């Protein structure tokens, strides 16, 4: 039986990928459809993608598939054909090709079975995820942006919105999509009679959000087909103004793709204009935040002097200090002002 998971270290896999000379294409796709046996689906898909040297992150659930992958450019069309043939629901699956791609977005294939392809926290059995809002194409998006009766709603996390968004788009200030859904319903009550236009990175979140809004009594609901990625691509192809400003945050090594030259965010340490997300170099912290080149040099790619000090310690002492410390997905929120740290560093006596 084939090995259906990776057995090589991340370090070695990354080194192999960096040594590759063939160009790669980063692409994302999703599809809501019923999968009767997600585990069997996952295993068969893992074999198919591994044969094509596909790297990336793929989630499979009973409700469908959600993927962000990197494929050798020479195998892109082969991968598309393989996916179209893999399941009837995937025929003519829309592929969102990355806009700003160095081909180094992923170096390992991780294919996991999840309860949901996007965590939504919805427990209402009467919710119909297929009752979605109307799709908007690029030209229609631009027309809506000029419509005073349209409200654009950004269904991405606060740190994604911070570096790029449509002008006057409503931010739902939460860390997770799960938290955003009820907040959106509450925040838009006064605009219930207007046209609600929802968007996200590639379409998967805003599609489900549009169905949730309709479930909660909103009737004039729309969402951008293919999200920001597809909107920007089609607008450029059609010679239309690209009205999205700044960067589109992405969940891979790139951490963002440039949509416009506007820099609408600021360094979380000094406040200078900057939209480069990084993770604190201290493995005991790994905070996601925005850091300019000057502060990266000043703080040795760390979020604070405390993390700089810890990073300078011998590896054994660093590991000892990390032991027992919760180090989940820590993300700095711009609403706190400039960055400071409250991380406790135990003394040698503790």
């Amino acid at each position: 039986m084939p090995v259906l998971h990776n057995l090589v270290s991340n370090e070695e896999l990354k080194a192999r990928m960096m040594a590759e000379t063939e160009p790669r294409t980063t692409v994302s796709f999703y599809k809501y459809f019923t999968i009767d046996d997600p585990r069997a689906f996952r295993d068969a898909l893992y074999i198919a993608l591994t044969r094509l040297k596909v790297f990336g992150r793929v989630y499979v659930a009973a409700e469908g598939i959600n993927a962000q992958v990197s494929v050798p450019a020479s195998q892109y069309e082969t991968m598309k054909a393989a996916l179209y043939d893999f399941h009837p629901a995937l025929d003519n699956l829309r592929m969102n090709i990355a806009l700003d791609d160095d081909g180094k977005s992923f170096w390992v294939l991780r294919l996991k079975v999840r309860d949901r392809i996007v965590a939504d926290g919805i427990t209402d059995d009467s919710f119909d995820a297929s009752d979605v809002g109307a799709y908007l194409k690029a030209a229609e998006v631009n027309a809506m942006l000029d419509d005073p009766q349209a409200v654009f709603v950004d269904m991405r996390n606060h740190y994604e919105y911070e570096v790029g968004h449509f002008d006057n788009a409503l931010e739902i200030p939460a860390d997770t999509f799960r938290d955003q859904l009820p907040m959106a319903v509450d925040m838009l009550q006064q605009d219930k009679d207007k046209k609600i236009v929802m968007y996200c990175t590639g379409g998967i979140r805003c599609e489900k959000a549009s169905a949730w809004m309709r479930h909660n009594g909103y009737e004039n609901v729309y969402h951008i087909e293919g999200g920001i990625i597809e909107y920007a691509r089609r607008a450029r192809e059609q010679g239309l103004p690209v009205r999205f400003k700044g960067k589109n945050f992405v969940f891979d090594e790139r951490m963002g793709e440039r949509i416009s030259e506007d820099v609408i965010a600021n360094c979380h340490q000094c406040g200078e204009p900057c939209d480069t997300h990084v993770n604190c170099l201290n493995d005991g912290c790994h905070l996601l935040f925005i850091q300019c080149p000057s502060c990266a040099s000043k703080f040795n790619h760390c979020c604070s002097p405390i993390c700089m000090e810890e990073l300078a310690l011998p590896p054994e002492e660093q590991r000892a200090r990390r032991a027992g410390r919760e180090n989940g997905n820590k993300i700095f929120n711009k609403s706190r002002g400039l960055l400071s740290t409250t991380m406790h560093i135990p003394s040698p006596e503790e």
Side-chain angles (χ1 to χ4, degrees), residues 87-285:
H87 189 284
L90 300 181
D91 188 27
N92 290 320
L93 177 70
R94 184 185 61 247
M95 301 284 182
N96 285 341
I97 299 176
L99 300 167
D100 186 8
D101 185 17
D102 61 3
K104 307 296 183 183
S105 51
F106 298 100
W107 58 83
V108 63
L109 177 62
R110 302 190 190 280
L111 213 162
K112 299 181 179 181
V113 174
R114 292 279 183 91
D115 291 335
R116 302 283 177 89
I117 55 175
V118 57
D120 53 36
I122 297 173
T123 58
D124 187 343
D125 292 336
S126 67
F127 171 62
D128 181 4
S130 67
D131 183 23
V132 300
Y135 285 114
L136 292 178
K137 298 186 182 298
E140 296 168 318
V141 172
N142 284 359
M144 282 285 198
L145 285 165
D146 295 325
D147 186 342
Q149 292 302 307
V151 179
F152 275 65
V153 184
D154 195 315
M155 292 307 299
R156 301 171 303 149
N157 303 324
H158 66 83
Y159 54 93
E160 299 174 78
Y161 180 95
E162 184 176 4
V163 295
H165 52 260
F166 288 103
D167 275 344
N168 301 316
L170 179 66
E171 177 187 7
I172 310 296
D175 288 340
T176 67
F177 182 66
R178 175 196 301 267
D179 295 333
Q180 282 184 317
L181 288 175
M183 289 176 66
V185 172
D186 291 340
M187 291 175 65
L188 288 161
Q189 286 294 328
Q190 64 183 9
D191 297 312
K192 205 161 188 175
D193 294 331
K194 293 185 177 181
K195 301 169 186 175
I196 307 299
V197 180
M198 317 196 88
Y199 71 91
C200 62
T201 304
I204 187 170
R205 287 176 284 182
C206 58
E207 181 167 325
K208 181 169 281 189
S210 73
W212 182 246
M213 297 301 285
R214 288 179 57 79
H215 180 72
N216 282 276
Y218 289 78
E219 296 180 358
N220 299 317
V221 184
Y222 304 81
H223 59 112
I224 298 179
E225 184 175 12
I228 298 161
I229 297 173
E230 185 71 359
Y231 161 76
R233 176 177 303 284
R234 295 303 181 189
R236 289 170 180 171
E237 289 177 353
Q238 297 166 23
L240 301 172
V242 177
R243 305 277 293 273
F244 184 92
K245 289 187 176 179
K247 264 187 177 179
N248 180 33
F249 184 94
V250 292
F251 294 88
D252 58 50
E253 282 295 294
R254 296 171 296 153
M255 288 197 189
E257 48 188 14
R258 176 69 58 195
I259 305 296
S260 79
E261 295 305 312
D262 304 276
V263 177
I264 65 173
N266 302 94
C267 174
H268 287 157
Q269 290 174 309
C270 70
E272 287 297 308
C274 178
D275 57 10
T276 301
H277 274 102
V278 299
N279 287 109
C280 179
L281 194 59
N282 177 15
D283 285 338
C285 175

